[in-house]
Amino acid sequence: MTIYSFYIFDRHCECIYVKQWHQRDRTFRPTSSSASTVDSPVALASDRHSSTSSKLQNEVHPSSRGGRLSVQDDAKLVFGVVFSLRNMVRKLSGPDDSFISYRTGSYKLHYYETATNLKFVLLTDVKMNNLKVVLHQIYVNLYVEFGEFFSIEHPGGEGVAVELFEMGLDSFIRTIQD
Amino acid sequence: MSATKAARVGEDVWKTRIDKVNAELVTLTYGSIVAQLCRDFEGDYLEVNKQLEKMGYNIGLRLIEDFLAKTNMGKCANFRETAETIAKVGFKVFLNITPTVANWTTDNKQFSLIFEENPLADFVELPDDGRAQNELWYSNMLCGVLRGTLEMVQMQVDAHFASDILRGNEVTEMRVTLVRIIDDELPPGED
């Protein structure tokens, strides 16, 4: 079981936290097969959801041709996907419904949203079980305990990157991966 | 969620998941905050009300996450449910009191919280300067807390005290009005 990356988005649509595991060299084209799973599926997904802004795609495509996306571009694409999917699900089956995860051939995206519009996203390999509960636990035990009380408006998206939160997240993720 | 279920959730969370502090400590701390503000603003009670509300608002913005994490509650279906949740879960969990929800308007956008007890105001007497009785809303921080928490769950409300036992009124009553539902923010470039 492998976990690729983790994102938190706040209610202002800002990515306030990113963590990527299994980091590979970001300046060269990925050579190992697992390397392509983090970013290329996301780029693919955004093609399909053409409702995400064209401006976003324009920004992204030149860089994706060059190989790897920056962490910020990844985050923007992930946000675009979950935002569109969430809104679509709500339109299709009512405002109380929300999507839990989706998977492609090469990765699975797990999603949890709080009533305060905080969005938690985890990208894993396809064999991973549903991690909605895990995301909820990250919210309850880590974000609320350590992250939230340091900064409310998260200026510059650095707000919750607090040492205790980092440590907690790392050890927590390790328990899932085993 | 029905009122009885809200009461049960509130009771349960309060019993099992809440760290408690001495109530008198809270009362005294709050009292010294208000007293200090009255000194800082040299008896300008209207300004003190405003500052208390603002402090509460900033508490509320954070408190909502703690509330959601501890109670594990989702979105309320309507404003009536919100009111029951505030009274029977929110106030119960954080202050161990359960104000009564009353006086709904017919459009279901305005209600009152009647406080039979108010731990913030225990042992309190307002200054006897002829103005505090008419101008100071001693527990005004609670209004701000409600405004802050509800804003974070997409409800803009107006909350203010309509009467206070400290002022010699018969009951302590807070009036809460739903102003509007706040739309989701759109990411830049999509609006």
Side-chain angles (χ1 to χ4, degrees), chain A residues 11-13 51-53 55 79 83 86 90 114-118 136 139-140 143-144 148-149 152-153, chain B residues 58 61-66 68-70 72-75 151-154 184-190:
Chain A
R11 67 194 174 115
H12 308 300
C13 313
S51 63
T52 51
S53 79
K55 188 174 150 228
F79 182 83
F83 186 80
R86 156 192 184 273
R90 284 188 177 182
T114 70
T116 47
N117 265 348
L118 276 169
H136 178 70
Y139 168 63
V140 171
Y143 183 83
V144 173
E148 173 62 17
F149 290 99
I152 188 71
E153 288 300 331
Chain B
N58 283 309
L61 295 180
R62 293 161 172 80
L63 196 65
I64 182 68
E65 304 290 359
D66 203 37
L68 292 172
K70 289 213 164 80
N72 206 0
M73 298 193 44
K75 281 193 195 292
E151 182 179 305
M152 290 294 277
V153 286
Q154 285 93 48
D184 288 343
E185 282 186 42
L186 295 174
E190 287 221 38

Side-chain angles (χ1 to χ4, degrees), chain A residues 89-123:
Chain A
V89 167
R90 284 188 177 182
K91 266 183 199 137
L92 280 170
S93 53
D96 295 330
D97 202 10
S98 65
F99 85 96
I100 293 160
S101 66
Y102 75 82
R103 59 163 285 191
T104 70
S106 54
Y107 77 107
K108 188 166 174 182
L109 181 146
H110 308 259
Y111 179 69
Y112 172 70
E113 183 179 342
T114 70
T116 47
N117 265 348
L118 276 169
K119 300 174 176 63
F120 292 78
V121 176
L122 203 53
L123 295 190

Side-chain angles (χ1 to χ4, degrees), chain B residues 6 11-12 17 50 68 138 165 180 186:
Chain B
E11 190 72 36
D12 188 52
R17 274 183 250 174
K50 215 184 280 172
L68 292 172
Y138 182 82
I165 290 176
R180 69 185 178 107
L186 295 174

Side-chain angles (χ1 to χ4, degrees), chain A residues 40-136:
Chain A
S40 59
V42 177
L44 258 180
S46 84
D47 286 342
R48 231 171 274 145
H49 295 284
S50 51
S51 63
T52 51
S53 79
S54 55
K55 188 174 150 228
L56 191 68
Q57 295 202 0
N58 288 339
E59 275 172 20
V60 163
H61 279 283
S63 59
S64 66
R65 267 198 298 276
R68 308 205 55 97
L69 298 173
S70 74
V71 178
Q72 285 85 352
D73 286 340
D74 270 358
K76 273 187 205 159
L77 285 170
V78 169
F79 182 83
V81 171
V82 296
F83 186 80
S84 313
L85 255 182
R86 156 192 184 273
N87 290 350
M88 253 181 263
V89 167
R90 284 188 177 182
K91 266 183 199 137
L92 280 170
S93 53
D96 295 330
D97 202 10
S98 65
F99 85 96
I100 293 160
S101 66
Y102 75 82
R103 59 163 285 191
T104 70
S106 54
Y107 77 107
K108 188 166 174 182
L109 181 146
H110 308 259
Y111 179 69
Y112 172 70
E113 183 179 342
T114 70
T116 47
N117 265 348
L118 276 169
K119 300 174 176 63
F120 292 78
V121 176
L122 203 53
L123 295 190
T124 70
D125 67 47
V126 292
K127 290 196 285 294
M128 190 66 82
N129 293 327
N130 191 326
L131 292 183
K132 191 185 173 193
V133 180
V134 167
L135 288 174
H136 178 70

Side-chain angles (χ1 to χ4, degrees), chain B residues 108-156:
Chain B
N108 284 333
K109 284 187 174 171
Q110 226 180 88
F111 64 93
S112 294
L113 291 169
I114 314 280
F115 294 84
E116 275 104 47
E117 47 180 343
N118 177 6
L120 297 186
D122 285 343
F123 329 119
V124 172
E125 282 176 34
L126 296 184
D128 190 16
D129 58 4
R131 289 186 301 116
Q133 302 274 338
N134 299 319
E135 293 175 8
L136 179 64
W137 293 114
Y138 182 82
S139 307
N140 216 33
M141 191 183 274
L142 295 179
C143 298
V145 172
L146 283 198
R147 185 165 70 89
T149 45
L150 291 177
E151 182 179 305
M152 290 294 277
V153 286
Q154 285 93 48
M155 278 172 271
Q156 189 187 333

